[in-house]
Amino acid sequence: PMNKEDGYRKWAVRGSIIFRYVDHGAEHAARDDINYRLRDRGLYFKSGISWGDVTSGDISFRYQQPGLIFAARAPTIFSDDKFLLAFLNSKLTNYFCGLINPTLSFNLVDLNQLPLLPELTGDIRNVIAFSAESLRQLSEVEWAGFERSWDFQSLPILTASPTPTLESNYTTWITQNRDTIAEMRRLEEENNRLFIDAYGLQDEITPDVPIEQITLTINPAYRYGGKLTEEELWTRFRQDT
């Protein structure tokens, strides 16, 4: 399994790539259309925090469970520090990125320049880390409800309601989805507020998170984007479901 996820997705990795490693990747090494090399094998299968290093919008970070290898387009910080994950996914990071390197690329040099306050310790650090862990779990559980997920067990729509009709199950599931979206938004905005207050940037940044930046597949505003109304977004979601 390889973490090669790109695009805008926060909190948890959605694994989808399998790397063909036969004869230590000889098949890839023989190709002349890619810059291929294996490196840092001692770091394979370790947990960490990854991101897509090329983006046209806000940058996003996600926790990578143990068991994956990494790719050049998904650099990895080998740390389980949920406080660090919360900081990186706060609005401060994108604010600082705009000052440090306002381009389409965010690399290790840029990462090392982010000003993480060492004095953020004690209770506030624990609150932030707990919130980040809750956000990670929400993201992982949500993704596991789709058949493309490696952790897929069953479709949530089939177990959302004890009643036997598809209509009632769908109605109950959508209510649950809306609650999950609202809870993630609440946690993210609280995370932003804590960091903004700690850095004294209340006049520069607001904690608000647009609905399309709640990166859940069950969130039509994130999934489809565009200029559709809320009703049109949920209609399309129902059709796809």
Side-chain angles (χ1 to χ4, degrees), residues 148-216:
R148 288 175 292 159
S149 169
W150 292 336
D151 297 320
F152 174 78
Q153 296 294 324
S154 63
L155 291 169
I157 192 174
L158 300 181
T159 57
S161 170
T163 57
T165 69
L166 185 60
E167 181 182 14
S168 60
N169 275 358
Y170 181 78
T171 300
T172 302
W173 183 53
I174 289 302
T175 300
Q176 295 171 356
N177 289 349
R178 290 179 185 271
D179 290 344
T180 299
I181 295 166
E183 175 64 4
M184 177 167 273
R185 193 178 195 178
R186 183 191 69 80
L187 288 170
E188 288 200 19
E189 291 183 342
E190 177 64 10
N191 182 59
N192 287 333
R193 187 188 64 78
L194 291 171
F195 277 109
I196 289 169
D197 289 350
Y199 280 73
L201 290 171
Q202 296 90 338
D203 294 336
E204 300 289 334
I205 314 172
T206 67
D208 302 337
V209 179
I211 188 64
E212 63 270 14
Q213 291 186 7
I214 302 302
T215 58
L216 297 169

Side-chain angles (χ1 to χ4, degrees), residues 24-176:
H24 303 288
E27 179 179 319
H28 298 276
R31 293 171 56 181
D32 58 10
D33 60 331
I34 58 173
N35 180 16
Y36 169 78
R37 60 184 174 132
L38 291 172
R39 57 181 298 174
D40 301 325
R41 297 187 191 187
L43 297 174
Y44 287 6
F45 313 120
K46 292 184 179 293
S47 59
I49 301 169
S50 71
W51 74 96
D53 69 343
V54 177
T55 176
S56 60
D58 287 348
I59 191 169
S60 55
F61 294 81
R62 41 254 178 185
Y63 179 71
Q64 172 182 302
Q65 295 278 15
L68 287 81
I69 62 174
F70 50 90
R73 294 278 72 89
T76 304
I77 306 164
F78 294 99
S79 169
D80 291 330
D81 188 351
K82 300 305 189 302
F83 174 80
L84 177 59
L85 177 64
F87 169 73
L88 292 172
N89 271 333
S90 73
K91 292 183 74 172
L92 267 69
T93 292
N94 281 290
Y95 174 78
F96 292 138
C97 286
L99 303 175
I100 294 169
N101 181 14
T103 69
L104 295 180
S105 176
F106 181 82
N107 53 43
L108 293 172
V109 174
D110 304 321
L111 179 76
N112 287 329
Q113 293 187 70
L114 293 176
L116 183 61
L117 290 179
E119 57 267 29
L120 278 175
T121 58
D123 291 342
I124 188 171
R125 188 183 184 96
N126 293 334
V127 167
I128 290 172
F130 182 81
S131 177
E133 175 62 14
S134 298
L135 285 159
R136 180 195 67 80
Q137 291 180 11
L138 283 172
S139 183
E140 288 189 351
V141 169
E142 182 263 352
W143 178 239
F146 290 86
E147 291 175 298
R148 288 175 292 159
S149 169
W150 292 336
D151 297 320
F152 174 78
Q153 296 294 324
S154 63
L155 291 169
I157 192 174
L158 300 181
T159 57
S161 170
T163 57
T165 69
L166 185 60
E167 181 182 14
S168 60
N169 275 358
Y170 181 78
T171 300
T172 302
W173 183 53
I174 289 302
T175 300
Q176 295 171 356

